[in-house]
Amino acid sequence: MEYVMCGIAGAIGVPDAAYTVSLMLKALQHRGQEAAGIVSSHDGQFLRRRGWGLVDEVFAHVNIKQELPGQSAIGHVRYQTAGKSDQKSLQEIQPFRGQSQHGHLAIAVNGNLTNYQPLRDALLQKGATLQSHSDSELFMPLVSLSRRPSSWERLAEAVLLTEGASSVLLLDDQGLHAAVDPFGFRPLVWASYQDGWLFASETSAFDIFSVAKSAAIKPGHVVTATKDLVEERCFAWSKTTRQCSFCHVYFNRPDSVVFGQSSYLVRERLGRNLAAEAPAAADLVLAVPDSSNVMALAYAQALGVPFSFGLIRSHYMGRTFITPKQEARELGVRLKLNAVRALIAGKRVVVVDDSLVRGTTARRISQMLRDAGATEVHMRLASPPVTHPCRWGIDTPKRQQLLAARVDSADMARHLGVDSLGYLSRAGLLAAMNDPNGEQHCTSCFTGIHPTEGLPKPTSFLP
Amino acid sequence: MEYVMCGIAGAIGVPDAAYTVSLMLKALQHRGQEAAGIVSSHDGQFLRRRGWGLVDEVFAHVNIKQELPGQSAIGHVRYQTAGKSDQKSLQEIQPFRGQSQHGHLAIAVNGNLTNYQPLRDALLQKGATLQSHSDSELFMPLVSLSRRPSSWERLAEAVLLTEGASSVLLLDDQGLHAAVDPFGFRPLVWASYQDGWLFASETSAFDIFSVAKSAAIKPGHVVTATKDLVEERCFAWSKTTRQCSFCHVYFNRPDSVVFGQSSYLVRERLGRNLAAEAPAAADLVLAVPDSSNVMALAYAQALGVPFSFGLIRSHYMGRTFITPKQEARELGVRLKLNAVRALIAGKRVVVVDDSLVRGTTARRISQMLRDAGATEVHMRLASPPVTHPCRWGIDTPKRQQLLAARVDSADMARHLGVDSLGYLSRAGLLAAMNDPNGEQHCTSCFTGIHPTEGLPKPTSFLP
Amino acid sequence: MEYVMCGIAGAIGVPDAAYTVSLMLKALQHRGQEAAGIVSSHDGQFLRRRGWGLVDEVFAHVNIKQELPGQSAIGHVRYQTAGKSDQKSLQEIQPFRGQSQHGHLAIAVNGNLTNYQPLRDALLQKGATLQSHSDSELFMPLVSLSRRPSSWERLAEAVLLTEGASSVLLLDDQGLHAAVDPFGFRPLVWASYQDGWLFASETSAFDIFSVAKSAAIKPGHVVTATKDLVEERCFAWSKTTRQCSFCHVYFNRPDSVVFGQSSYLVRERLGRNLAAEAPAAADLVLAVPDSSNVMALAYAQALGVPFSFGLIRSHYMGRTFITPKQEARELGVRLKLNAVRALIAGKRVVVVDDSLVRGTTARRISQMLRDAGATEVHMRLASPPVTHPCRWGIDTPKRQQLLAARVDSADMARHLGVDSLGYLSRAGLLAAMNDPNGEQHCTSCFTGIHPTEGLPKPTSFLP
Amino acid sequence: MEYVMCGIAGAIGVPDAAYTVSLMLKALQHRGQEAAGIVSSHDGQFLRRRGWGLVDEVFAHVNIKQELPGQSAIGHVRYQTAGKSDQKSLQEIQPFRGQSQHGHLAIAVNGNLTNYQPLRDALLQKGATLQSHSDSELFMPLVSLSRRPSSWERLAEAVLLTEGASSVLLLDDQGLHAAVDPFGFRPLVWASYQDGWLFASETSAFDIFSVAKSAAIKPGHVVTATKDLVEERCFAWSKTTRQCSFCHVYFNRPDSVVFGQSSYLVRERLGRNLAAEAPAAADLVLAVPDSSNVMALAYAQALGVPFSFGLIRSHYMGRTFITPKQEARELGVRLKLNAVRALIAGKRVVVVDDSLVRGTTARRISQMLRDAGATEVHMRLASPPVTHPCRWGIDTPKRQQLLAARVDSADMARHLGVDSLGYLSRAGLLAAMNDPNGEQHCTSCFTGIHPTEGLPKPTSFLP
């Protein structure tokens, strides 16, 4: 899947903050495997380590406690974000760091700006020098150029000057500041820990430390934490919010609570609603492990059909040496997933997947199941087919790569090589998220309707 | 778990044999993550690449098709085997390779010799020079010193001079030769592929290539494959065999067929037999993903208790940078497994695990479930408690580290912090493997009885 | 020696410009061994590779022609420059690169700013964000913030806003621009080559390409080269210049022509003038290879005393693994230099060195010669003793580390353990450079007199 | 130059023996830049580190004192030795190490076997397994298979079973043993140091430690050193010896004393004899730095023509990134050597080089000097032209690559592009080494006469 997300984490007021952040980034690794970086503040210096690869790889030879000392730090794991894919310059890896009239700055962003080009032009014209091709870097000159007297105001002003999704962590000489844009596209949670505070994209990052109580940073809010105190302020307000529904469908860890809801329970309801909308007559229900496990199990239990582990996933799928690309993609599915012939041969099976994007993996799975002897292969999706790329994510497949945008819904089953195809309606999806009227969630990728079209501009509370 | 296994794979008569072997090693990665190596034969040269780490890491910067050309190759992935753990010399990594009076030799072994010391002394006295501390290396001088006229005889003679478990691949200038010792401790399978043949520890390595038909190499047999033909010969016979039961319980991939049986189906029977022997009254059944998934699901289905994914596993657990070791072990479990609070709170849960070795992870899981709000935590094991280290595996925990060897069975539940503990009997285990009389499987680690004690020496058919 | 220099090189209008620059940087390696970097401009992109170490090490695994394509490029080798020595961040390595309102920029500087702090504060206040601790980076915002309409004016304006030594290469979307400050502290030469132009710190960089004709960029001048044309402009004028005399004494390659003179011929005159001012009665003259070879030979020939290679230098002295530092320094001299006992035993020797800075190596050499059996050891220096750190070089020894600042000239011979000590006067040094009145050269490190004190501010010709 | 040499060093009875060896290997780096390795003996273990590259590169990330502890160690630096040049397997790098009936063994050899093939066949037939393509590895099975009761006898027996050049260091559980073959082809020296002993190819390795007194190991002798005592034994005797004359001409450091003579003084005599045999009328004498420095200076002084540093050598010539090979060779000379135009223009110059092998560099130098404006270029060689490859060195140029084997002596000057060519006679060479009758030195590469032809087989004193 190529939905654009990133993971961010921060800690302040705890010893070895960078080490704490590194553990949270490991827990958020599913949000970005391409690169990782951490900046810590110590003794008037901002130290950074970053690199391409998994958190474990980037920090394999870094003695974090010694090389990134200090009681405050922020970090970032990167999915595919803006920038040509061959621009593998270190410059592109967050957090960004620099020295400004407001002292040291470091910034980590989960989001995407839709007004990148005009905003960039305006900042350059003011004399800014940019180091990367990342839209997130614009927060650096936005803050550097701001004349506002306090950190939280500078950050809030920067968020208000951007359009799009912005969940931002700003580390400066004063403390650690976290902001979410007024529509709340991307999750950001925080918690008290020891004598300080933690920030992360998902609550599963806090579970490592047995931190049970946490809260979402609300849309249009900024939380400012220093060594001594924490303050939450509302800098902008919108009646309607646009929290990402695809996060619950696919992106989040199921053990996370984001946007105030357990993703596990949302996914159970997705599976149950799917069973109601699109039942199937079969001998076995299979998940596509691990992303559709919860939906497939709930679907099976709702229908009373036996659930089974008929598709086995290998978890040693790192950066692979397989080339060329075509062969890599082909072999990739076979190395990642394998059907249990002894179980499947002679059975009618229904595979429940979380979503339908390009359809290529789905087609390979259906072939794999037939090779293993399945007599019928039915496919069910716990969300509507994706028909439009996410405007908030630049590397999503172009529209013509989306199966549901290319192929008539009647033809889709034939195209995927399955005996029947069913999926959840948008209403079923919204119901599962307890948002029957769709006032809080963005479903733009399923509908093509611009998420903020027709909505009033949020009200700013900045002085 | 620290049970000693390794994975071996070979190919002959196929283009880019080393590349084919590298893909099979990836599919066998679960059998060994410590090191990997491949030797290919090309144009009168034996080429080798090996290194510490996962297959992907070792071959990340190797252009396999160019650096390891040729139509025959063997490879090895290494778990923890004999040798002090700090001897991280490349010399220890298989395949071994050398030049002898019989031409080039390369050897990859899955096994452990119990007569290592006397055999080594005898070989040195004949003038042999050894490079490593690995017992598997002894196959090099065994073959080099042999006066027998053909490759298969030299390999068979070598196996007969060893005691213990030996599944061996030998590549020489004549071809690729695969042998299994007369008791058949370790699995080894083979298949025809394109114009040649494949060899591997498990059939899942063949599934990548859609090779559906394969066979086990029978105990006491050697298979000799050249570019042109393949021959299977019996070189020794034993009425009773000793195939590893722990392979089915834990070590194999569930989608593999080894020793002639589907591990998936064996595990389903383990779960069902466990339900019959040790039921539990609970609201939810949880697996410890992924190793006990199949058993836990079968257990739940047999008892009619809802199965659920209440423990979530993170699969980004490579070589980690966490130190010191104590903290690494503590955090390791939390980074690897997390309980879904929203699901578990207020419930009676039963966790089904595959086996009980040291008990440390089990204790941490029970604590994690209570922290997540479980009102009762019951634990069920799909095998008898491990009471003795495996004589065929040198790095298994010492006896005093095995929980069942230290703690009375009555005290075990208390020790693990669970409300009840139940496990499968040896009879239930054997029944699940269709070996009710225990004539084909080794259960030594559950009983402490020497696996070949009292058995007659196998009959040799060597001329 | 720890005099601060760097090497810079640029090429435009030649195929594989970055490759051409890499060869020039190799020829300039003596000017900086700490780090190296190159930026090339290709197809609207500015590409960069940089790293710590020698040019060969940094580019060992870079396919320069493929990874840094394009017909224009600039590069830098770094000596020890400003910034705490443990700040080994890649961010510190030149060329700097960024995007600005004037398009892409890349900058490489050989120089040091004496108004770093106030200039930095002023630039931050205008909203600039800085990435490094290098004073050279200030040229980035200086150019980015400039409102002037053409590249050469922006670069000239930037040089005029700085104080100190500035030989600068600026690569932008228009072309390659080279400027030298009005006092001309640091050398910068250029030449026509094929259909384009080359720029470098010394002419020896051009000799690789058999480019025989080259010219110095005159103080206060800027040369602007595009694919099609080259223009030289005077942007500032000073009657008196301050070209570095220490460059001729020590820093340059003897085969270079800089500031319009051959360093080889200057050094011959230094040796001859030294023989006239400070002769010695001895059996042999020795150089401290290779830096004083030419002076020592000229000294010997002038006095008619046999020259010899009694000190042998090993040239395999890379980054060494010797620790701790004290032992490294001690062993370093012995690994680098060795006395030829068979030649020296029983002789009166005179060692000619280029300069006297800390005196530590000199003391070890005199001891080494006595150990080898010399009956008398006389030392002669081809320049006045260094009494003051260079204001234009931040990492030179602090004043109290300079032997001539600590020890009375009468005591120096005793301190160095030599039978007599003699050195060249400032007048002798200036005469050797054909500047008897000292109007063109800086001798500040020998006198302590501020190089520009009392001089009128240069006249600017900027519109 | 491609004459085959290697450097070996050993230490016993000193703390941190491997560290001591590493420093000696650095001093011997000129004898081999391709690879380096060290084995130390500590606490019943033989530890090894080895790799491709310079000593500094191989040990850059090795904490020698910790990773190679112990009071005895041996090491090796490798030039180009037997084996196809693309076999860059670690297996090829010395010291070799293994376990045998005589305990641990490690071996480092400077030499070449002329009976490699038959000896190898015989050893394989006895059941030996070999790891590399190096002839030196044969010493491993030679010692392992030996039935003799003591280390020195096993080593001496091994040397007597080989033909060719063998200077060998053997480290075993008893101590460190050094042997030189009866003809004494390669140098090996030893010295007492602290409470133990040092061994090395040249004395310059001892000078680091200010060890002034050392001795050559005489042909046919073995020195056995343990912690407590040292013994020297003669195991074979030959009236005539064959010490390498090319070592004095080119290979040794000039500050070394080997075969009992100072290489510096030998080279001075070479230069003087050359002046007598082949004077030249010129304005300047130039050396090709650094290898012909001493000869050129002596030549100039003998003739009364001014010596000068008209060719400047850059010493930053590591493994370079220049490709393809043809360009690398062309640019290599220009990056390594540069002519000082300001000095040379308009002059008649005579270049003195140490030897003439392929003639390619000589031709480039003469062109470079003419480009720099020399009006006449004369070339003088301080040894006879090389007409035959060394039988004791496998990678020397094939006969047809040797200029003197291809081109008539009359044509050579024209071929090299010089106005005149002169060289030293064999008689002049032998006289410079104080061996007028040629009874002690090998001059095979200048004559083509087999070095041991017609000589009686050495008398063995082995019991």
Side-chain angles (χ1 to χ4, degrees), chain B residues 266-323:
Chain B
V266 169
R267 288 181 191 180
E268 279 198 335
R269 292 193 291 267
L270 289 170
R272 280 203 290 272
N273 294 358
L274 177 64
E277 289 190 25
D283 303 315
L284 283 178
V285 172
L286 310 179
V288 181
D290 287 348
S291 60
S292 74
N293 277 351
V294 180
M295 292 90 141
L297 178 65
Y299 180 90
Q301 287 168 339
L303 292 181
V305 179
F307 175 78
S308 80
F309 292 99
L311 285 170
I312 298 296
R313 179 169 184 170
S314 165
H315 290 288
Y316 299 104
M317 292 299 302
R319 232 156 311 288
T320 187
F321 51 82
I322 305 169
T323 54

Side-chain angles (χ1 to χ4, degrees), chain B residues 112-400:
Chain B
N112 289 87
L113 306 192
T114 50
N115 65 336
Y116 173 53
Q117 207 53 53
L119 189 55
R120 182 179 182 278
D121 292 345
L123 290 165
L124 290 183
Q125 209 138 12
K126 289 187 180 161
T129 321
L130 293 169
Q131 306 297 315
S132 76
H133 299 82
S134 163
D135 58 350
S136 298
E137 194 197 349
L138 297 192
F139 280 97
M140 292 295 290
L142 280 171
V143 172
S144 290
L145 285 159
S146 173
R147 299 283 178 200
R148 290 188 179 269
S150 67
S151 301
W152 80 265
E153 286 176 90
R154 290 192 287 266
L155 176 57
E157 184 190 65
V159 171
L160 287 174
L161 285 169
T162 65
E163 287 166 25
S166 298
S167 287
V168 188
L169 294 177
L170 163 66
L171 185 69
D172 62 14
D173 295 325
Q174 279 68 53
L176 203 168
H177 319 282
V180 172
D181 67 76
F183 291 109
F185 285 100
R186 300 286 185 254
L188 192 58
V189 293
W190 64 299
S192 158
Y193 174 55
Q194 294 181 354
D195 295 333
W197 291 275
L198 304 180
F199 298 82
S201 295
E202 301 184 21
T203 60
S204 52
F206 300 157
D207 290 341
I208 318 162
F209 310 109
S210 308
V211 170
K213 262 179 66 177
S214 61
I217 297 187
K218 293 183 282 291
H221 281 61
V222 61
V223 173
T224 288
T226 66
K227 266 180 308 182
D228 307 313
L229 75 140
V230 71
E231 292 173 287
E232 185 174 18
R233 290 182 183 87
C234 180
F235 64 90
W237 185 82
S238 165
K239 189 188 161 195
T240 307
T241 59
R242 285 288 173 253
Q243 296 170 344
C244 172
S245 59
F246 207 79
C247 290
H248 279 308
V249 168
Y250 167 75
F251 214 85
N252 291 348
R253 283 174 57 153
D255 49 337
S256 278
V257 177
V258 296
F259 304 138
Q261 296 197 73
S262 156
S263 278
Y264 193 102
L265 298 184
V266 169
R267 288 181 191 180
E268 279 198 335
R269 292 193 291 267
L270 289 170
R272 280 203 290 272
N273 294 358
L274 177 64
E277 289 190 25
D283 303 315
L284 283 178
V285 172
L286 310 179
V288 181
D290 287 348
S291 60
S292 74
N293 277 351
V294 180
M295 292 90 141
L297 178 65
Y299 180 90
Q301 287 168 339
L303 292 181
V305 179
F307 175 78
S308 80
F309 292 99
L311 285 170
I312 298 296
R313 179 169 184 170
S314 165
H315 290 288
Y316 299 104
M317 292 299 302
R319 232 156 311 288
T320 187
F321 51 82
I322 305 169
T323 54
K325 276 202 171 169
Q326 174 52 28
E327 193 180 334
R329 215 170 292 145
E330 192 67 50
L331 279 169
V333 174
R334 292 210 163 264
L335 283 167
K336 195 163 72 180
L337 293 173
N338 194 19
V340 182
R341 180 186 315 271
L343 180 79
I344 283 165
K347 303 259 177 59
R348 296 172 304 158
V349 302
V350 51
V351 197
V352 177
D353 206 349
D354 51 271
S355 57
L356 186 72
V357 183
R358 298 182 171 208
T360 40
T361 300
R363 205 159 60 227
R364 281 194 191 107
I365 288 171
S366 78
Q367 186 57 47
M368 193 186 282
L369 292 169
R370 291 200 194 277
D371 288 351
T375 56
E376 291 177 24
V377 177
H378 303 273
M379 183 158 286
R380 294 296 178 268
L381 309 168
S383 60
V386 172
T387 55
H388 289 75
C390 176
R391 286 163 199 266
W392 278 251
I394 292 170
D395 276 345
T396 44
K398 299 233 173 352
R399 186 134 206 254
Q400 66 272 30

